Amino acid sequence: MKKEILALQALMEKKGCDAYLVETADFHQSEYVGDYFKARAYLSGFTGSAGTLLVTKQEAFLWTDGRYFVQAEKQLENSGIELMRMGQPGVPTVIEKLAMLFTGPFCLGADGRTLSYHQAQSMQRALPMMTMALAEDLVDEIWPDRPALSCQEAFDYDLAYCGESREKKLARIRTEMRQVGAESHLVTSLDDIAWILNIRGHDVACNPVVLSYLLIEMDLATLYVQTAAMPDQLKTELAKAGVTCRDYFALMEDLVLLDAKSLLFDPQKVNAALLEKVNPSVRRIEGNNPSTLFKAIKNEVEIARTKEAHLMDSVAVTKFMYWLKNTIRQRPITELEASDHLEKLRAAIPGFIDLSFTTIAAYQANAAMMHYSAKPENQATMQAEGMLLVDSGGQYLSGTTDITRTFVLGDITAEQRHHFTLALKSLLRLQNAHFLYGCTGLNLDILARGPLWDEDLDYQCGTGHGVGHLLNVHEGPNGIRWKVLPNRQEMAVLEEGMITTDEPGVYIPGSHGVRHENELLCVKGKMNDYGQFMHFEVLTFTPIDLDGVDPAALSHQEKEWLNAYHAEVYEKLSPYMSEEEKVWLKEYTREI
């Protein structure tokens, strides 16, 4: 067993905990977290972005989803931690495992600030014999040199990019509060707070958010934030909108004193420790944050700006494709060299702030790991053969991008070509969908998965996710997947103005992986006696590598879709290309 686990088990014995739960979460239930909050990674050695660690006095278990099975298996080797492959037959959930391990009363410890209220309540209901000790962060006591809590300076996000004032956003939210009878509303999700107040920051890598809480009441609002993160000018601007700043850690004591008769909160986003502080006399109203849906439906300014961001981002990725395919003929390239070169191209774009997530540059078998991350000590060196999968994106003042392309570097096998083309068929069928208003991603997922399911293939993840506007690259409540995952809250009706990714793939462990990804803007189509029809407008314009396509495997309609897409790619990108690049681009957007 890892020494970190042994240290935790020894402390559990002292504290009287029979089991200890460590989530991949901060105090705000964020998907990606700052270094201070990477307790699960510190204890287990597994560095994926999703996972739950359960430690008992004798054993340890780690749950993660299909994106990380291969990675987790490698990183947990010889750790003494058992990998629990979520969603696979015979694999119990955390709650089911606890019920199996403990048949009588037991104590489960956890840092209640990293558990959602919904999660804590669900566990308590399912395990009535369990006592929960949520007051202590045991990991903090055994983690020497723990990184400091991030405190980066926040900045005002201009109306020229966001398109709606913070005053109007607060007014819209208060209207929703009145409708549900809420006198106050606690918002703890960092992307919601950033969107509501038109602020951005740097407290989570690749996610331009500010560590903060927001308490909205009918005549005032309070932002709880680290003092050093707030420039005086930004505080002045917030004050004009009726927003007062208080210390980040003052929320706990203020919730004890809250005199509102009712409190609206999202039980999947507010942590359990905060709700313990609220006076029982305050009526609790559970519901989604109104801002979550407001934020997902982009306004005219956001749409215009994000189209600018996607155009220039597509130029960068296409120039990268040109560099890659020409350079690999001359010399080997490492995965990190490739990702670094792409980042340099993005960084040269005006308004570039950061990557929207750590670039995945995965060669051959590494691409079978959906969220592979190359390291200097284990990266692959590419030759003029096989395929490179690159999943990447940028954060710009004008918006957030997310794109995946699989590039052919030389000879590939017949199986690789077949899988490349299958994933392309899936991409094209979804991005060209026409559907009635009222559909969710659950209705549309089969369009992408169908070509793979026909051959008894699948990918262990969703097909698409919402994307923020200079915010989180993964954003609800819209998403595209074939089954409902209650904790993801992404099965909303697809509304005009929502942006969702389309990213099917094929992953063959030990061999190769293929993924193609475009971002799609939901727009209105025809209205007739049957209702309002909807479709997608593509935002991403980078060639699909025709070197990997088997034209004989595409239907006539699929060829027309691909040819029309490539014609638009050439039209939009050619003005930004050198003469040599333009000749090359013409070849890679040719009709097939």
Side-chain angles (χ1 to χ4, degrees):
M1 190 69 74
K2 288 179 91 269
K3 67 180 187 302
E4 293 83 1
I5 300 291
L6 293 174
L8 178 61
Q9 288 172 329
L11 187 57
M12 289 164 53
E13 184 72 37
K14 291 181 182 178
K15 298 285 186 177
C17 290
D18 299 295
Y20 197 80
L21 189 68
V22 183
E23 287 288 358
T24 306
D26 56 15
F27 304 154
H28 309 272
Q29 304 306 303
S30 305
E31 179 183 12
Y32 298 106
V33 300
D35 290 343
Y36 175 88
F37 296 102
K38 293 181 179 178
R40 187 224 65 219
Y42 167 73
L43 289 169
S44 70
F46 168 61
T47 59
S49 68
T52 298
L53 177 67
L54 177 67
V55 181
T56 69
K57 292 179 180 178
Q58 292 82 32
E59 301 172 287
F61 311 88
L62 186 135
W63 281 259
T64 193
D65 60 52
R67 297 171 297 168
Y68 293 111
F69 288 167
V70 177
Q71 176 183 341
E73 187 174 4
K74 287 184 177 181
Q75 292 183 327
L76 296 181
E77 189 175 3
N78 299 321
S79 70
I81 302 169
E82 183 178 348
L83 174 60
M84 311 296 286
R85 293 173 172 82
M86 291 171 61
Q88 299 302 294
V91 177
T93 65
V94 174
I95 289 176
E96 290 168 344
K97 188 67 176 177
L98 284 168
M100 294 163 59
L101 291 169
F102 301 100
T103 55
F106 71 100
C107 176
L108 175 69
D111 182 351
R113 298 170 298 177
T114 65
L115 294 186
S116 73
Y117 177 76
H118 175 267
Q119 181 182 9
Q121 292 294 302
S122 297
M123 294 183 75
Q124 195 68 77
R125 284 194 297 267
L127 300 166
M129 77 292 287
M130 176 183 70
T131 301
M132 297 188 79
L134 303 179
E136 292 187 274
D137 178 5
L138 297 191
V139 181
D140 194 56
E141 298 186 36
I142 62 168
W143 188 353
D145 304 319
R146 185 175 192 171
L149 195 67
S150 177
C151 183
Q152 301 295 312
E153 187 169 276
F155 64 94
D156 198 346
Y157 193 41
D158 196 271
L159 275 174
Y161 296 103
C162 67
E164 184 180 9
S165 70
R166 52 181 69 95
E167 289 90 346
K168 288 183 178 179
K169 290 177 178 179
L170 286 166
R172 282 210 278 162
I173 290 167
R174 287 176 173 131
T175 297
E176 295 294 316
M177 290 168 59
R178 291 187 188 95
Q179 290 181 358
V180 298
E183 290 188 357
S184 59
H185 174 32
L186 179 59
V187 187
T188 63
S189 42
L190 302 180
D191 56 334
D192 282 291
I193 295 168
W195 180 86
I196 294 167
L197 298 182
N198 291 341
I199 61 174
R200 299 294 189 269
H202 309 278
D203 279 333
V204 180
C206 303
N207 294 261
V209 294
V210 183
L211 285 178
S212 55
Y213 305 101
L214 179 63
L215 183 62
I216 303 174
E217 298 175 79
M218 283 305 173
D219 54 355
L220 59 97
T222 306
L223 176 67
Y224 296 86
V225 62
Q226 296 177 92
T227 305
M230 296 299 290
D232 289 340
Q233 182 59 38
L234 181 53
K235 283 194 254 185
T236 299
E237 293 301 318
L238 289 171
K240 292 176 183 177
V243 180
T244 301
C245 292
R246 289 261 290 150
D247 182 71
Y248 179 66
F249 296 101
L251 177 61
M252 289 281 195
E253 58 193 68
D254 283 5
L255 285 177
V256 174
L257 302 173
L258 182 66
D259 60 359
K261 294 179 181 177
S262 51
L263 175 69
L264 170 65
F265 66 95
D266 187 331
Q268 300 216 47
K269 295 181 178 178
V270 173
N271 71 59
L274 287 176
L275 268 297
E276 284 189 345
K277 299 295 182 181
V278 178
N279 192 307
S281 66
V282 177
R283 183 166 65 94
R284 301 180 180 192
I285 303 173
E286 298 185 18
N288 295 333
N289 293 336
S291 52
T292 300
L293 181 59
F294 295 162
K295 171 167 54 70
I297 301 173
K298 309 301 187 278
N299 60 46
E300 291 183 1
V301 171
E302 289 172 321
I303 290 170
R305 288 298 195 173
T306 202
K307 287 181 178 180
E308 295 171 6
H310 280 81
L311 175 60
M312 299 315 298
D313 193 78
S314 296
V315 169
V317 179
T318 303
K319 285 180 176 286
F320 168 80
M321 179 181 176
Y322 173 81
W323 170 85
L324 176 71
K325 293 180 79 71
N326 282 280
T327 304
I328 198 64
R329 296 173 187 165
Q330 304 165 29
R331 62 174 176 84
I333 304 172
T334 66
E335 291 170 330
L336 286 177
E337 182 188 1
S339 60
D340 288 347
H341 186 78
L342 179 53
E343 183 173 355
K344 288 178 183 177
L345 290 168
R346 281 197 166 100
I349 298 172
F352 174 82
I353 291 175
D354 196 357
L355 301 179
S356 57
F357 54 96
T358 302
T359 298
I360 299 169
Y363 182 55
Q364 294 290 68
N366 289 340
M369 295 181 274
M370 280 178 261
H371 280 218
Y372 167 78
S373 179
K375 299 289 188 296
E377 65 274 11
N378 69 358
Q379 64 175 318
T381 298
M382 298 176 280
Q383 308 291 335
E385 62 181 6
M387 300 185 296
L388 172 70
L389 185 155
V390 180
D391 187 355
S392 65
Q395 296 282 12
Y396 306 92
L397 280 174
S398 48
T400 301
T401 68
D402 185 3
I403 173 176
T404 306
R405 287 294 183 267
T406 303
F407 302 110
V408 176
L409 305 184
D411 292 337
I412 59 175
T413 67
E415 181 185 51
Q416 288 173 328
R417 187 176 303 279
H418 179 61
H419 289 159
F420 187 104
T421 309
L422 266 184
L424 173 60
K425 290 165 74 76
S426 297
L427 176 95
L428 292 171
R429 290 187 186 187
L430 179 56
Q431 87 177 26
N432 288 282
H434 280 68
F435 52 97
L436 275 169
Y437 175 76
C439 282
T440 70
L442 199 68
N443 303 118
L444 302 186
D445 185 82
I446 186 62
L447 293 173
R449 243 174 256 267
L452 277 71
W453 281 3
D454 287 345
E455 300 195 14
D456 298 319
L457 292 169
D458 192 27
Y459 41 94
Q460 299 282 319
C461 61
T463 298
H465 55 82
V467 181
H469 186 75
L470 186 54
L471 278 174
N472 297 354
V473 74
H474 295 159
E475 175 182 272
N478 48 308
I480 300 174
R481 59 178 62 245
W482 70 272
K483 59 182 176 182
V484 176
L485 298 178
N487 62 316
R488 293 192 68 94
Q489 294 181 300
E490 59 178 17
M491 287 295 104
V493 168
L494 293 167
E495 302 279 356
E496 180 184 26
M498 284 182 170
I499 296 174
T500 316
T501 64
D502 172 8
E503 47 181 311
V506 179
Y507 308 94
I508 307 300
S511 177
H512 61 276
V514 178
R515 178 160 69 250
H516 312 297
E517 176 188 14
N518 286 339
E519 284 191 39
L520 310 177
L521 172 68
C522 188
V523 297
K524 286 182 177 178
K526 292 183 178 179
M527 165 75 90
N528 59 25
D529 292 343
Y530 300 104
Q532 176 67 60
F533 281 88
M534 313 291 289
H535 60 271
F536 294 121
E537 178 183 337
V538 180
L539 297 175
T540 309
F541 293 100
T542 291
I544 300 294
D545 192 346
L546 292 175
D547 291 340
V549 177
D550 177 8
L554 297 177
S555 69
H556 176 72
Q557 186 179 49
E558 289 163 349
K559 290 177 184 176
E560 286 190 337
W561 284 338
L562 180 60
N563 289 339
Y565 174 71
H566 273 159
E568 194 168 3
V569 168
Y570 184 81
E571 178 187 356
K572 288 181 178 296
L573 300 193
S574 57
Y576 301 93
M577 299 292 162
S578 68
E579 289 304 315
E580 294 81 4
E581 290 169 335
K582 198 178 297 185
V583 171
W584 170 88
L585 182 62
K586 191 70 173 177
E587 172 66 15
Y588 275 90
T589 56
R590 68 188 182 275
E591 286 196 0
I592 62 170

